[in-house]
Amino acid sequence: MFQNLIDFLLNDFFITGDPLILGAQVSIGLSMVAVVFALTYFKKWRWLWTEWLTTVDHKRIGIMYIIASILMLFRGGVDALLMRVQLAVPQVEFLHADHYNAIFTTHGVIMILFMAMPLMFGLFNIVVPLQIGARDVAYPFLNSLSFWMFFFGAMLFNVSFVIGGSPDAGWLAYPPLSELSGSPGLGQDFYIWGIQISGIGSLATGINFVVTILKMRAPGMKLMKMPMFVWSVLSSCITIMFAFPILTVTLFLLFIDRYFGAHFFTLDGGGNPMMYINLIWMWGHPEVYIVILPAFGIFSEIVSAFSKKKLFGYKSMVFALMSISFFSFFTWAHHFFTMGSGANVNAFFAVTTMLIAIPTGVKVFNWLFTMFRGKLTFPTPMLWTIAFIPCFVVGGMTGVMLSVAPADFQFHNSYFLIAHFHQVLIGGVVFGYFAGLYYWWPKMFGFKLHEGLGKWAFWLWNIGFYVCFMPQYALGLMGMTRRFNEYNFDMGWQPLNVVSTVGAFIMGLAFLFQVWQIAHSIKFYKKEPTGDSWDGRTLEWSIPSPAPLYNFARVPVVDSEDAWWEEKQRLANGGKPKPLAPLEPIHMPKNSAIPFLISVSFFVMGFGFVWDWKWMIIPGAIGVAICMLARSFSYDTDYYIPVDEIERTEAALGGTK
Amino acid sequence: MENHNSHSPSHDSHGSMKSYVIGFVLSIILTIIPIAIVMNDMLSKQLTIIVILIMAGLQFVVQLFFFMHLKDEAKPRYNTMALVFGLIILLTVVAGSIWIMSYNVVG
Ligand code: HEM
Ligand SMILES: [Cu+2]
């Protein structure tokens, strides 16, 4: 019996026999011990539970999202470097084929779903309520639930590489390879359950922010007076609301195929794998716009703040954002022009794809005109913005090249495609979120990040990016296709691959600089003298940094776009400060343990499904049900902060406002 | 629409007993019709499918008006807009898939 258990653990449960994975297992084990030890030694368990795990405060949830996403960036980045090493020396079997397949799969899933999405949600959480003058999001409980569902979904996915085996059928898991016949292992089940669980969180966040933006704005903030970042969040969240259900259904059908032996996507039994490809891209294409739209919003905020000018073409910007989120639903087939759907289908989707580049172009001109004759300064957030513009223009142009259906028969699945989407995802999404992170960092923590180290990181990232990805366009044209770990020396691809790998390591170095930058800035902590670190324009800069629990002691009244800037101008021109309304008790949501517990139950249930262990599925499902019931019958969910406490907090923050 | 004091946007009117009962009865009728047709083999296969589809569509409408209170929504009608957009996406998913997949029929 005991021997059986040991056998099971060593042969099936834990992945054994690979030195790289063994190293990872040991380091994961050691760091878990270290964390538990540190929490116990410093008596921080209660603090962790009451201040973080059960919090419903949007600012803290935002910080947790960002920490999780940076950890995921690290894991996805290590995956990338491993692949690059293999491709630079294809003759050496550094990663054997199976391992290579697993790594490019987890790299893709992690970077999009567990790095870009949570980093984006983190910024939504931190910024949106502050910019619209609200005290929290519309549904704070749901917000915490979203975070924990994401977190445990991501953990379920990540655990597969040390327990049970990684998925290895590509980041979108096309059947028939991802069916039971092609992937009999557990990796694909981890994939399905990890993404499904975190997908519930993403959908809920989408709904939450749409409602927050539509219903919780400060008095006077008409829709057309909202900061541009808020508009971009709205457009992204609307897209989430309609795109994520498609993903959920598609993966659910794949689950039914695998678990119950159905035939939705198998050729035998009347199904069709092409249908999966069709469905998954109906989510997949909107998804790439979901992550880029908020980056557009961030750039708009930063360009206007560091040009000391109103954003040029506000209305056209709003129009561009909203039309992109609408049209992104009508271009999906450009991902499978080669599937053989005939000239009409391909022509239609080629045209819709080219059309969507137009609103994107409009935005580029808006940013340029905002800078034109502005009083420009170039701190790190602005540097990232300036670097983004040319990078994204090139990425968009290569996208338009790909959208020419006949040409795509050559480009498809070559390194040209790889270079295209990394250019828009790194040069657009990652640069954008970095810009946002640097810009709002002082609002989150009350101190700025060290500029000098930030500039090092900035230059290394940019140089590394071009060194890494420009050669890949050429490699694509030379015929190198994606997703293999070996190629013959006489193909002539090696020199450019070596260059590309060097670029990847430069980006790795850039990441280390950012870690150093954060550590350095914490060590030499210098409190920001005011809450308005950048002489900002929008409401989040009108309150202290970090913002108090209730954000605004008095709900601001807005009468123009760039409300805080206009108010500062008015005062500078000798205007009288507005009379302060008396403080009132503030209505706030109470912390709750249910989101955490329900997500743990989902994790248990998902893990049970992966192994098909009924004894684990059932308790997990019961846990979910109990949590739901408990929530339905809890009425004591909110409280009031009394006026004297607000007064004390405000006095301590030095705010007279 | 500004609602900064309370945390969950407050619910508007919840409909009357009468409208709930009507909605409930209608949805039961709409469920019984297809069941009866299928159980008693009343129509040809094709007609049965058509009837089921029509009943499903009507069911959807009943749910929206009697339980989701679509018609007594205050302006701006965000729910209606969301519904219209949702229907457009739904149409795209179904019609687009049929169009694309009609070139990929197997066997
Ligand atoms: C000007 C706008 C854009 C155009 C015209 C465009 C066009 C295309 C086309 C036609 C493909 C498919 C090529 C093939 O598979 O052969 C593609 C792939 C891709 N694009 Fe874009 N794109 C644009 C912007 C973006 C943006 C903003 C993102 C992300 C932020 C993005 C991310 C991707 C990804 C991830 C893939 C490939 C996914 C895969 O096959 O695994 N694109 N793009
Ligand atoms: Cu696309």
Side-chain angles (χ1 to χ4, degrees), chain A residues 100-118:
Chain A
Y100 190 84
N101 292 348
I103 289 192
F104 70 64
T105 302
T106 54
H107 168 77
V109 174
I110 287 179
M111 284 302 200
I112 299 235
L113 288 167
F114 303 137
M115 188 283 284
M117 293 291 280

PDB file of all heavy atoms in Angstrom, chain A residues 100-118:
ATOM      1  N   TYR A 100      10.383  21.038 -25.283  1.00  0.00           N
ATOM      2  CA  TYR A 100      10.246  22.284 -26.041  1.00  0.00           C
ATOM      3  C   TYR A 100       8.766  22.591 -26.305  1.00  0.00           C
ATOM      4  O   TYR A 100       8.304  23.718 -26.117  1.00  0.00           O
ATOM      5  CB  TYR A 100      11.016  22.172 -27.365  1.00  0.00           C
ATOM      6  CG  TYR A 100      11.130  23.481 -28.105  1.00  0.00           C
ATOM      7  CD1 TYR A 100      12.130  24.388 -27.783  1.00  0.00           C
ATOM      8  CD2 TYR A 100      10.232  23.809 -29.113  1.00  0.00           C
ATOM      9  CE1 TYR A 100      12.229  25.587 -28.455  1.00  0.00           C
ATOM     10  CE2 TYR A 100      10.321  25.017 -29.782  1.00  0.00           C
ATOM     11  CZ  TYR A 100      11.319  25.904 -29.446  1.00  0.00           C
ATOM     12  OH  TYR A 100      11.410  27.103 -30.108  1.00  0.00           O
ATOM     13  N   ASN A 101       8.005  21.571 -26.694  1.00  0.00           N
ATOM     14  CA  ASN A 101       6.573  21.775 -26.924  1.00  0.00           C
ATOM     15  C   ASN A 101       5.874  22.288 -25.677  1.00  0.00           C
ATOM     16  O   ASN A 101       5.038  23.197 -25.734  1.00  0.00           O
ATOM     17  CB  ASN A 101       5.901  20.452 -27.327  1.00  0.00           C
ATOM     18  CG  ASN A 101       6.346  19.980 -28.685  1.00  0.00           C
ATOM     19  OD1 ASN A 101       6.985  20.729 -29.427  1.00  0.00           O
ATOM     20  ND2 ASN A 101       6.030  18.747 -29.011  1.00  0.00           N
ATOM     21  N   ALA A 102       6.214  21.681 -24.552  1.00  0.00           N
ATOM     22  CA  ALA A 102       5.579  22.105 -23.307  1.00  0.00           C
ATOM     23  C   ALA A 102       5.929  23.559 -23.022  1.00  0.00           C
ATOM     24  O   ALA A 102       5.071  24.350 -22.607  1.00  0.00           O
ATOM     25  CB  ALA A 102       6.032  21.211 -22.159  1.00  0.00           C
ATOM     26  N   ILE A 103       7.180  23.927 -23.282  1.00  0.00           N
ATOM     27  CA  ILE A 103       7.600  25.275 -22.906  1.00  0.00           C
ATOM     28  C   ILE A 103       6.967  26.329 -23.790  1.00  0.00           C
ATOM     29  O   ILE A 103       6.527  27.370 -23.307  1.00  0.00           O
ATOM     30  CB  ILE A 103       9.142  25.359 -22.912  1.00  0.00           C
ATOM     31  CG1 ILE A 103       9.649  24.553 -21.723  1.00  0.00           C
ATOM     32  CG2 ILE A 103       9.593  26.788 -22.784  1.00  0.00           C
ATOM     33  CD1 ILE A 103      11.076  24.761 -21.410  1.00  0.00           C
ATOM     34  N   PHE A 104       6.867  26.081 -25.118  1.00  0.00           N
ATOM     35  CA  PHE A 104       6.235  27.166 -25.891  1.00  0.00           C
ATOM     36  C   PHE A 104       4.744  27.261 -25.585  1.00  0.00           C
ATOM     37  O   PHE A 104       4.150  28.338 -25.686  1.00  0.00           O
ATOM     38  CB  PHE A 104       6.554  27.089 -27.391  1.00  0.00           C
ATOM     39  CG  PHE A 104       5.940  25.967 -28.194  1.00  0.00           C
ATOM     40  CD1 PHE A 104       4.570  25.883 -28.361  1.00  0.00           C
ATOM     41  CD2 PHE A 104       6.756  25.032 -28.820  1.00  0.00           C
ATOM     42  CE1 PHE A 104       4.013  24.868 -29.125  1.00  0.00           C
ATOM     43  CE2 PHE A 104       6.201  24.011 -29.594  1.00  0.00           C
ATOM     44  CZ  PHE A 104       4.824  23.933 -29.736  1.00  0.00           C
ATOM     45  N   THR A 105       4.151  26.153 -25.165  1.00  0.00           N
ATOM     46  CA  THR A 105       2.741  26.215 -24.781  1.00  0.00           C
ATOM     47  C   THR A 105       2.547  27.041 -23.509  1.00  0.00           C
ATOM     48  O   THR A 105       1.738  27.973 -23.468  1.00  0.00           O
ATOM     49  CB  THR A 105       2.197  24.789 -24.574  1.00  0.00           C
ATOM     50  OG1 THR A 105       2.387  24.060 -25.780  1.00  0.00           O
ATOM     51  CG2 THR A 105       0.740  24.817 -24.212  1.00  0.00           C
ATOM     52  N   THR A 106       3.303  26.688 -22.480  1.00  0.00           N
ATOM     53  CA  THR A 106       3.100  27.414 -21.215  1.00  0.00           C
ATOM     54  C   THR A 106       3.543  28.871 -21.358  1.00  0.00           C
ATOM     55  O   THR A 106       2.913  29.760 -20.791  1.00  0.00           O
ATOM     56  CB  THR A 106       3.868  26.755 -20.059  1.00  0.00           C
ATOM     57  OG1 THR A 106       5.241  26.629 -20.442  1.00  0.00           O
ATOM     58  CG2 THR A 106       3.317  25.389 -19.750  1.00  0.00           C
ATOM     59  N   HIS A 107       4.588  29.113 -22.136  1.00  0.00           N
ATOM     60  CA  HIS A 107       5.017  30.503 -22.348  1.00  0.00           C
ATOM     61  C   HIS A 107       3.852  31.343 -22.891  1.00  0.00           C
ATOM     62  O   HIS A 107       3.544  32.404 -22.363  1.00  0.00           O
ATOM     63  CB  HIS A 107       6.198  30.548 -23.315  1.00  0.00           C
ATOM     64  CG  HIS A 107       6.526  31.919 -23.828  1.00  0.00           C
ATOM     65  ND1 HIS A 107       7.195  32.851 -23.070  1.00  0.00           N
ATOM     66  CD2 HIS A 107       6.258  32.526 -25.016  1.00  0.00           C
ATOM     67  CE1 HIS A 107       7.332  33.965 -23.772  1.00  0.00           C
ATOM     68  NE2 HIS A 107       6.769  33.808 -24.960  1.00  0.00           N
ATOM     69  N   GLY A 108       3.198  30.849 -23.932  1.00  0.00           N
ATOM     70  CA  GLY A 108       2.122  31.621 -24.551  1.00  0.00           C
ATOM     71  C   GLY A 108       0.952  31.834 -23.610  1.00  0.00           C
ATOM     72  O   GLY A 108       0.450  32.949 -23.446  1.00  0.00           O
ATOM     73  N   VAL A 109       0.511  30.764 -22.974  1.00  0.00           N
ATOM     74  CA  VAL A 109      -0.649  30.885 -22.083  1.00  0.00           C
ATOM     75  C   VAL A 109      -0.332  31.834 -20.930  1.00  0.00           C
ATOM     76  O   VAL A 109      -1.123  32.720 -20.592  1.00  0.00           O
ATOM     77  CB  VAL A 109      -1.057  29.505 -21.536  1.00  0.00           C
ATOM     78  CG1 VAL A 109      -2.170  29.645 -20.508  1.00  0.00           C
ATOM     79  CG2 VAL A 109      -1.485  28.600 -22.668  1.00  0.00           C
ATOM     80  N   ILE A 110       0.834  31.646 -20.350  1.00  0.00           N
ATOM     81  CA  ILE A 110       1.169  32.446 -19.176  1.00  0.00           C
ATOM     82  C   ILE A 110       1.286  33.917 -19.544  1.00  0.00           C
ATOM     83  O   ILE A 110       0.755  34.791 -18.863  1.00  0.00           O
ATOM     84  CB  ILE A 110       2.471  31.929 -18.540  1.00  0.00           C
ATOM     85  CG1 ILE A 110       2.180  30.605 -17.846  1.00  0.00           C
ATOM     86  CG2 ILE A 110       3.032  32.932 -17.559  1.00  0.00           C
ATOM     87  CD1 ILE A 110       3.373  29.980 -17.217  1.00  0.00           C
ATOM     88  N   MET A 111       1.966  34.200 -20.641  1.00  0.00           N
ATOM     89  CA  MET A 111       2.193  35.606 -20.971  1.00  0.00           C
ATOM     90  C   MET A 111       0.883  36.330 -21.267  1.00  0.00           C
ATOM     91  O   MET A 111       0.684  37.465 -20.842  1.00  0.00           O
ATOM     92  CB  MET A 111       3.132  35.729 -22.163  1.00  0.00           C
ATOM     93  CG  MET A 111       4.580  35.473 -21.792  1.00  0.00           C
ATOM     94  SD  MET A 111       5.156  36.589 -20.499  1.00  0.00           S
ATOM     95  CE  MET A 111       6.904  36.489 -20.690  1.00  0.00           C
ATOM     96  N   ILE A 112      -0.032  35.699 -21.990  1.00  0.00           N
ATOM     97  CA  ILE A 112      -1.277  36.406 -22.303  1.00  0.00           C
ATOM     98  C   ILE A 112      -2.257  36.348 -21.143  1.00  0.00           C
ATOM     99  O   ILE A 112      -2.762  37.369 -20.672  1.00  0.00           O
ATOM    100  CB  ILE A 112      -1.937  35.827 -23.575  1.00  0.00           C
ATOM    101  CG1 ILE A 112      -0.981  36.014 -24.742  1.00  0.00           C
ATOM    102  CG2 ILE A 112      -3.287  36.474 -23.814  1.00  0.00           C
ATOM    103  CD1 ILE A 112      -1.524  36.732 -25.914  1.00  0.00           C
ATOM    104  N   LEU A 113      -2.534  35.146 -20.652  1.00  0.00           N
ATOM    105  CA  LEU A 113      -3.634  35.028 -19.689  1.00  0.00           C
ATOM    106  C   LEU A 113      -3.213  35.305 -18.257  1.00  0.00           C
ATOM    107  O   LEU A 113      -4.021  35.786 -17.465  1.00  0.00           O
ATOM    108  CB  LEU A 113      -4.251  33.635 -19.783  1.00  0.00           C
ATOM    109  CG  LEU A 113      -5.068  33.439 -21.060  1.00  0.00           C
ATOM    110  CD1 LEU A 113      -5.394  31.980 -21.259  1.00  0.00           C
ATOM    111  CD2 LEU A 113      -6.342  34.254 -21.000  1.00  0.00           C
ATOM    112  N   PHE A 114      -1.976  35.002 -17.910  1.00  0.00           N
ATOM    113  CA  PHE A 114      -1.594  35.134 -16.509  1.00  0.00           C
ATOM    114  C   PHE A 114      -0.565  36.232 -16.273  1.00  0.00           C
ATOM    115  O   PHE A 114      -0.136  36.451 -15.152  1.00  0.00           O
ATOM    116  CB  PHE A 114      -1.083  33.792 -15.969  1.00  0.00           C
ATOM    117  CG  PHE A 114      -2.092  32.687 -16.122  1.00  0.00           C
ATOM    118  CD1 PHE A 114      -1.726  31.428 -16.553  1.00  0.00           C
ATOM    119  CD2 PHE A 114      -3.437  32.921 -15.856  1.00  0.00           C
ATOM    120  CE1 PHE A 114      -2.671  30.415 -16.706  1.00  0.00           C
ATOM    121  CE2 PHE A 114      -4.387  31.924 -16.004  1.00  0.00           C
ATOM    122  CZ  PHE A 114      -3.999  30.663 -16.435  1.00  0.00           C
ATOM    123  N   MET A 115      -0.126  36.904 -17.332  1.00  0.00           N
ATOM    124  CA  MET A 115       0.743  38.058 -17.141  1.00  0.00           C
ATOM    125  C   MET A 115       0.033  39.308 -17.637  1.00  0.00           C
ATOM    126  O   MET A 115      -0.269  40.204 -16.844  1.00  0.00           O
ATOM    127  CB  MET A 115       2.080  37.843 -17.867  1.00  0.00           C
ATOM    128  CG  MET A 115       3.128  38.889 -17.574  1.00  0.00           C
ATOM    129  SD  MET A 115       2.907  40.470 -18.411  1.00  0.00           S
ATOM    130  CE  MET A 115       3.437  40.080 -20.060  1.00  0.00           C
ATOM    131  N   ALA A 116      -0.279  39.362 -18.945  1.00  0.00           N
ATOM    132  CA  ALA A 116      -0.895  40.587 -19.476  1.00  0.00           C
ATOM    133  C   ALA A 116      -2.253  40.867 -18.828  1.00  0.00           C
ATOM    134  O   ALA A 116      -2.509  41.985 -18.384  1.00  0.00           O
ATOM    135  CB  ALA A 116      -1.034  40.478 -20.994  1.00  0.00           C
ATOM    136  N   MET A 117      -3.119  39.873 -18.751  1.00  0.00           N
ATOM    137  CA  MET A 117      -4.454  40.125 -18.200  1.00  0.00           C
ATOM    138  C   MET A 117      -4.399  40.620 -16.754  1.00  0.00           C
ATOM    139  O   MET A 117      -4.988  41.652 -16.439  1.00  0.00           O
ATOM    140  CB  MET A 117      -5.341  38.879 -18.304  1.00  0.00           C
ATOM    141  CG  MET A 117      -5.697  38.477 -19.708  1.00  0.00           C
ATOM    142  SD  MET A 117      -6.815  39.626 -20.521  1.00  0.00           S
ATOM    143  CE  MET A 117      -8.374  39.142 -19.835  1.00  0.00           C
ATOM    144  N   PRO A 118      -3.725  39.924 -15.839  1.00  0.00           N
ATOM    145  CA  PRO A 118      -3.724  40.425 -14.458  1.00  0.00           C
ATOM    146  C   PRO A 118      -2.995  41.756 -14.298  1.00  0.00           C
ATOM    147  O   PRO A 118      -3.396  42.572 -13.455  1.00  0.00           O
ATOM    148  CB  PRO A 118      -3.024  39.324 -13.665  1.00  0.00           C
ATOM    149  CG  PRO A 118      -2.346  38.480 -14.658  1.00  0.00           C
ATOM    150  CD  PRO A 118      -3.101  38.594 -15.927  1.00  0.00           C
TER     151      PRO A 118
END
